Amino acid sequence: MDLDTPIAASESVMRVAELVAAYLLVGLFVVGLLDFGFLALSFLRAGRATDPRSLIELVDIVLLLFIVAEIYRTVIAYVESEGEVGVVRATVYAGIIALVRKAITFQIDGYSSVTNAAIAAGSYTLLLVGLGTVLWVVSRR
């Protein structure tokens, strides 16, 4: 039995699945842009354009869009086989953006105690420093 044919067929299916994932991410990004536009318009109409909570909500959506864009770049880097460095760099960027998003929307009153909030903030900081270190190492390669 020739194993090359089943392997080639599975690789073709996988390539199609990767491209479908990329197009789904593009669709998700477009939906996110529309959501941002409608939300911004509703804030303007309601006179809440300068409300800090409204602005945080808008920034949260923008950062989420950046995460989707970085995940898309990760998928494309993988599909185009840019090598480990390209995939790792795109993945680290997505992680950094996600952590920045968490930091911007961080609210102490979302935790049961100040200690729990401090632990969460410390964890986010450690993750951000770790990802920054990985990005620095990858950039030097």
Side-chain angles (χ1 to χ4, degrees):
M1 184 174 162
D2 184 19
L3 289 178
D4 287 339
T5 303
I7 290 172
S10 69
E11 287 179 358
S12 295
V13 169
M14 195 61 182
R15 181 108 170 135
V16 168
E18 292 164 350
L19 292 173
V20 167
Y23 281 112
L24 286 173
L25 287 167
V26 169
L28 185 61
F29 189 84
V30 169
V31 168
L33 279 176
L34 291 173
D35 181 44
F36 174 81
F38 290 136
L39 190 61
L41 190 60
S42 73
F43 287 160
L44 284 172
R45 286 185 177 166
R48 294 179 43 203
T50 58
D51 177 42
R53 291 198 186 268
S54 299
L55 293 175
I56 287 174
E57 195 171 340
L58 289 174
V59 168
D60 188 43
I61 291 173
V62 169
L63 290 173
L64 189 56
L65 288 172
F66 282 141
I67 292 169
V68 171
E70 287 302 323
I71 293 171
Y72 169 79
R73 288 182 50 190
T74 303
V75 169
I76 294 303
Y78 183 78
V79 168
E80 293 178 344
S81 299
E82 288 183 11
E84 292 177 11
V85 173
V87 174
V88 170
R89 185 178 291 124
T91 304
V92 170
Y93 282 145
I96 289 172
I97 292 168
L99 285 169
V100 168
R101 178 177 174 252
K102 279 294 215 183
I104 288 173
T105 61
F106 184 81
Q107 294 182 4
I108 293 176
D109 58 352
Y111 294 89
S112 59
S113 69
V114 174
T115 303
N116 288 343
I119 290 170
S123 299
Y124 295 152
T125 302
L126 286 175
L127 286 169
L128 196 54
V129 168
L131 285 171
T133 303
V134 169
L135 185 60
W136 178 75
V137 169
V138 168
S139 295
R140 294 185 53 99
R141 275 188 92 193

